[in-house]
Amino acid sequence: SVNTKEQAIIAQASGADRLEVTNQELFGGVTPSIEDVTEVITHTDLPCFIQLRPTVERWSLTDEEFNTILHVIELAKIAGVEGIVVGALKDGKVDREKIEKIIEVKGNLKLSFNHAIDSAFNYEEELEYLINNPGIDWIITNGSTSKIFDGISRLLPYKEKLKGRLII
């Protein structure tokens, strides 16, 4: 994750293969300005993904926040990003209605579902939904655990299904 063009240049020089442009990274990341995204795209050769998260306080989206996300997706297409990083929960489950609308609107943009999955009440059930959804290219998760080895162990049964689609 990067916040500025300077961070993006350093990440590229250090061997990164993609960038996630975000703001307030220390707090889990929120949607950056389109100007910051454009700066990163202009100064690197790496595929850029934009974090779409209006607040760090929760994974649910109000209707107003959701409409803003849809608007930013249209701006992201114009800016030339490779994809978007988004997650939405409703009542402890993936907000299927909102995610399906995002998939419909995103066009050719790639979609990474973010760490919201780690806060789902029934992690395995919601992970299966994401795995089986052809509109979701990657899933960013720690296995819904606080220890990396526990998370990896929890994800092992999904190894084949997640091949090439998992970002830990």
PDB file of all heavy atoms in Angstrom, residues 121-134:
ATOM      1  N   PHE A 121     -19.063 -12.967  10.268  1.00  0.00           N
ATOM      2  CA  PHE A 121     -19.443 -13.852  11.367  1.00  0.00           C
ATOM      3  C   PHE A 121     -19.168 -15.318  11.022  1.00  0.00           C
ATOM      4  O   PHE A 121     -18.708 -16.078  11.849  1.00  0.00           O
ATOM      5  CB  PHE A 121     -20.920 -13.677  11.733  1.00  0.00           C
ATOM      6  CG  PHE A 121     -21.244 -12.334  12.323  1.00  0.00           C
ATOM      7  CD1 PHE A 121     -22.530 -11.844  12.274  1.00  0.00           C
ATOM      8  CD2 PHE A 121     -20.277 -11.545  12.938  1.00  0.00           C
ATOM      9  CE1 PHE A 121     -22.853 -10.604  12.821  1.00  0.00           C
ATOM     10  CE2 PHE A 121     -20.578 -10.314  13.482  1.00  0.00           C
ATOM     11  CZ  PHE A 121     -21.877  -9.849  13.421  1.00  0.00           C
ATOM     12  N   ASN A 122     -19.481 -15.720   9.786  1.00  0.00           N
ATOM     13  CA  ASN A 122     -19.223 -17.084   9.337  1.00  0.00           C
ATOM     14  C   ASN A 122     -18.185 -17.009   8.215  1.00  0.00           C
ATOM     15  O   ASN A 122     -18.531 -16.978   7.033  1.00  0.00           O
ATOM     16  CB  ASN A 122     -20.511 -17.759   8.863  1.00  0.00           C
ATOM     17  CG  ASN A 122     -20.305 -19.218   8.535  1.00  0.00           C
ATOM     18  OD1 ASN A 122     -19.209 -19.654   8.196  1.00  0.00           O
ATOM     19  ND2 ASN A 122     -21.378 -19.989   8.628  1.00  0.00           N
ATOM     20  N   TYR A 123     -16.932 -16.963   8.603  1.00  0.00           N
ATOM     21  CA  TYR A 123     -15.837 -16.746   7.666  1.00  0.00           C
ATOM     22  C   TYR A 123     -15.857 -17.732   6.504  1.00  0.00           C
ATOM     23  O   TYR A 123     -15.764 -17.329   5.340  1.00  0.00           O
ATOM     24  CB  TYR A 123     -14.502 -16.831   8.422  1.00  0.00           C
ATOM     25  CG  TYR A 123     -13.288 -16.651   7.543  1.00  0.00           C
ATOM     26  CD1 TYR A 123     -12.879 -15.378   7.154  1.00  0.00           C
ATOM     27  CD2 TYR A 123     -12.551 -17.742   7.107  1.00  0.00           C
ATOM     28  CE1 TYR A 123     -11.770 -15.204   6.348  1.00  0.00           C
ATOM     29  CE2 TYR A 123     -11.448 -17.581   6.305  1.00  0.00           C
ATOM     30  CZ  TYR A 123     -11.052 -16.311   5.923  1.00  0.00           C
ATOM     31  OH  TYR A 123      -9.954 -16.147   5.115  1.00  0.00           O
ATOM     32  N   GLU A 124     -15.971 -19.021   6.797  1.00  0.00           N
ATOM     33  CA  GLU A 124     -15.908 -20.034   5.735  1.00  0.00           C
ATOM     34  C   GLU A 124     -17.035 -19.858   4.712  1.00  0.00           C
ATOM     35  O   GLU A 124     -16.802 -19.949   3.511  1.00  0.00           O
ATOM     36  CB  GLU A 124     -15.944 -21.447   6.329  1.00  0.00           C
ATOM     37  CG  GLU A 124     -14.648 -21.875   6.983  1.00  0.00           C
ATOM     38  CD  GLU A 124     -14.454 -21.342   8.409  1.00  0.00           C
ATOM     39  OE1 GLU A 124     -15.401 -20.736   8.974  1.00  0.00           O
ATOM     40  OE2 GLU A 124     -13.345 -21.509   8.941  1.00  0.00           O
ATOM     41  N   GLU A 125     -18.235 -19.599   5.181  1.00  0.00           N
ATOM     42  CA  GLU A 125     -19.378 -19.423   4.270  1.00  0.00           C
ATOM     43  C   GLU A 125     -19.174 -18.206   3.369  1.00  0.00           C
ATOM     44  O   GLU A 125     -19.412 -18.267   2.160  1.00  0.00           O
ATOM     45  CB  GLU A 125     -20.661 -19.264   5.086  1.00  0.00           C
ATOM     46  CG  GLU A 125     -21.916 -19.108   4.245  1.00  0.00           C
ATOM     47  CD  GLU A 125     -23.158 -18.982   5.120  1.00  0.00           C
ATOM     48  OE1 GLU A 125     -23.314 -19.784   6.069  1.00  0.00           O
ATOM     49  OE2 GLU A 125     -23.961 -18.066   4.840  1.00  0.00           O
ATOM     50  N   GLU A 126     -18.715 -17.122   3.947  1.00  0.00           N
ATOM     51  CA  GLU A 126     -18.515 -15.898   3.154  1.00  0.00           C
ATOM     52  C   GLU A 126     -17.308 -16.037   2.222  1.00  0.00           C
ATOM     53  O   GLU A 126     -17.327 -15.536   1.100  1.00  0.00           O
ATOM     54  CB  GLU A 126     -18.365 -14.695   4.082  1.00  0.00           C
ATOM     55  CG  GLU A 126     -19.582 -14.446   4.962  1.00  0.00           C
ATOM     56  CD  GLU A 126     -20.902 -14.420   4.194  1.00  0.00           C
ATOM     57  OE1 GLU A 126     -21.040 -13.599   3.268  1.00  0.00           O
ATOM     58  OE2 GLU A 126     -21.797 -15.217   4.526  1.00  0.00           O
ATOM     59  N   LEU A 127     -16.276 -16.737   2.670  1.00  0.00           N
ATOM     60  CA  LEU A 127     -15.126 -17.000   1.808  1.00  0.00           C
ATOM     61  C   LEU A 127     -15.550 -17.826   0.601  1.00  0.00           C
ATOM     62  O   LEU A 127     -15.140 -17.538  -0.533  1.00  0.00           O
ATOM     63  CB  LEU A 127     -14.021 -17.713   2.586  1.00  0.00           C
ATOM     64  CG  LEU A 127     -12.720 -17.983   1.824  1.00  0.00           C
ATOM     65  CD1 LEU A 127     -12.056 -16.681   1.390  1.00  0.00           C
ATOM     66  CD2 LEU A 127     -11.771 -18.808   2.702  1.00  0.00           C
ATOM     67  N   GLU A 128     -16.388 -18.815   0.800  1.00  0.00           N
ATOM     68  CA  GLU A 128     -16.898 -19.632  -0.317  1.00  0.00           C
ATOM     69  C   GLU A 128     -17.644 -18.759  -1.329  1.00  0.00           C
ATOM     70  O   GLU A 128     -17.488 -18.923  -2.531  1.00  0.00           O
ATOM     71  CB  GLU A 128     -17.830 -20.740   0.191  1.00  0.00           C
ATOM     72  CG  GLU A 128     -17.116 -21.901   0.820  1.00  0.00           C
ATOM     73  CD  GLU A 128     -16.465 -22.847  -0.189  1.00  0.00           C
ATOM     74  OE1 GLU A 128     -16.721 -22.756  -1.408  1.00  0.00           O
ATOM     75  OE2 GLU A 128     -15.668 -23.680   0.270  1.00  0.00           O
ATOM     76  N   TYR A 129     -18.469 -17.826  -0.831  1.00  0.00           N
ATOM     77  CA  TYR A 129     -19.168 -16.919  -1.743  1.00  0.00           C
ATOM     78  C   TYR A 129     -18.170 -16.139  -2.596  1.00  0.00           C
ATOM     79  O   TYR A 129     -18.331 -16.029  -3.814  1.00  0.00           O
ATOM     80  CB  TYR A 129     -20.066 -15.947  -0.961  1.00  0.00           C
ATOM     81  CG  TYR A 129     -20.515 -14.770  -1.787  1.00  0.00           C
ATOM     82  CD1 TYR A 129     -21.497 -14.912  -2.766  1.00  0.00           C
ATOM     83  CD2 TYR A 129     -19.921 -13.516  -1.640  1.00  0.00           C
ATOM     84  CE1 TYR A 129     -21.892 -13.834  -3.553  1.00  0.00           C
ATOM     85  CE2 TYR A 129     -20.311 -12.440  -2.415  1.00  0.00           C
ATOM     86  CZ  TYR A 129     -21.288 -12.609  -3.375  1.00  0.00           C
ATOM     87  OH  TYR A 129     -21.659 -11.550  -4.162  1.00  0.00           O
ATOM     88  N   LEU A 130     -17.133 -15.588  -1.959  1.00  0.00           N
ATOM     89  CA  LEU A 130     -16.144 -14.806  -2.701  1.00  0.00           C
ATOM     90  C   LEU A 130     -15.384 -15.673  -3.695  1.00  0.00           C
ATOM     91  O   LEU A 130     -15.161 -15.273  -4.845  1.00  0.00           O
ATOM     92  CB  LEU A 130     -15.163 -14.125  -1.737  1.00  0.00           C
ATOM     93  CG  LEU A 130     -15.757 -13.104  -0.772  1.00  0.00           C
ATOM     94  CD1 LEU A 130     -14.678 -12.589   0.177  1.00  0.00           C
ATOM     95  CD2 LEU A 130     -16.427 -11.957  -1.503  1.00  0.00           C
ATOM     96  N   ILE A 131     -14.992 -16.871  -3.269  1.00  0.00           N
ATOM     97  CA  ILE A 131     -14.252 -17.780  -4.148  1.00  0.00           C
ATOM     98  C   ILE A 131     -15.073 -18.115  -5.381  1.00  0.00           C
ATOM     99  O   ILE A 131     -14.549 -18.170  -6.495  1.00  0.00           O
ATOM    100  CB  ILE A 131     -13.870 -19.069  -3.384  1.00  0.00           C
ATOM    101  CG1 ILE A 131     -12.776 -18.781  -2.357  1.00  0.00           C
ATOM    102  CG2 ILE A 131     -13.420 -20.164  -4.341  1.00  0.00           C
ATOM    103  CD1 ILE A 131     -12.502 -19.938  -1.395  1.00  0.00           C
ATOM    104  N   ASN A 132     -16.358 -18.344  -5.189  1.00  0.00           N
ATOM    105  CA  ASN A 132     -17.221 -18.780  -6.294  1.00  0.00           C
ATOM    106  C   ASN A 132     -17.777 -17.642  -7.125  1.00  0.00           C
ATOM    107  O   ASN A 132     -18.512 -17.876  -8.081  1.00  0.00           O
ATOM    108  CB  ASN A 132     -18.364 -19.633  -5.742  1.00  0.00           C
ATOM    109  CG  ASN A 132     -17.850 -20.945  -5.182  1.00  0.00           C
ATOM    110  OD1 ASN A 132     -16.982 -21.589  -5.768  1.00  0.00           O
ATOM    111  ND2 ASN A 132     -18.352 -21.330  -4.024  1.00  0.00           N
ATOM    112  N   ASN A 133     -17.426 -16.405  -6.791  1.00  0.00           N
ATOM    113  CA  ASN A 133     -17.927 -15.254  -7.534  1.00  0.00           C
ATOM    114  C   ASN A 133     -16.913 -14.894  -8.629  1.00  0.00           C
ATOM    115  O   ASN A 133     -15.816 -14.438  -8.329  1.00  0.00           O
ATOM    116  CB  ASN A 133     -18.137 -14.071  -6.593  1.00  0.00           C
ATOM    117  CG  ASN A 133     -18.853 -12.931  -7.264  1.00  0.00           C
ATOM    118  OD1 ASN A 133     -18.575 -12.601  -8.412  1.00  0.00           O
ATOM    119  ND2 ASN A 133     -19.776 -12.322  -6.553  1.00  0.00           N
ATOM    120  N   PRO A 134     -17.281 -15.097  -9.899  1.00  0.00           N
ATOM    121  CA  PRO A 134     -16.332 -14.829 -10.986  1.00  0.00           C
ATOM    122  C   PRO A 134     -15.971 -13.353 -11.153  1.00  0.00           C
ATOM    123  O   PRO A 134     -14.989 -13.028 -11.830  1.00  0.00           O
ATOM    124  CB  PRO A 134     -17.055 -15.360 -12.229  1.00  0.00           C
ATOM    125  CG  PRO A 134     -18.510 -15.349 -11.867  1.00  0.00           C
ATOM    126  CD  PRO A 134     -18.575 -15.566 -10.385  1.00  0.00           C
TER     127      PRO A 134
END
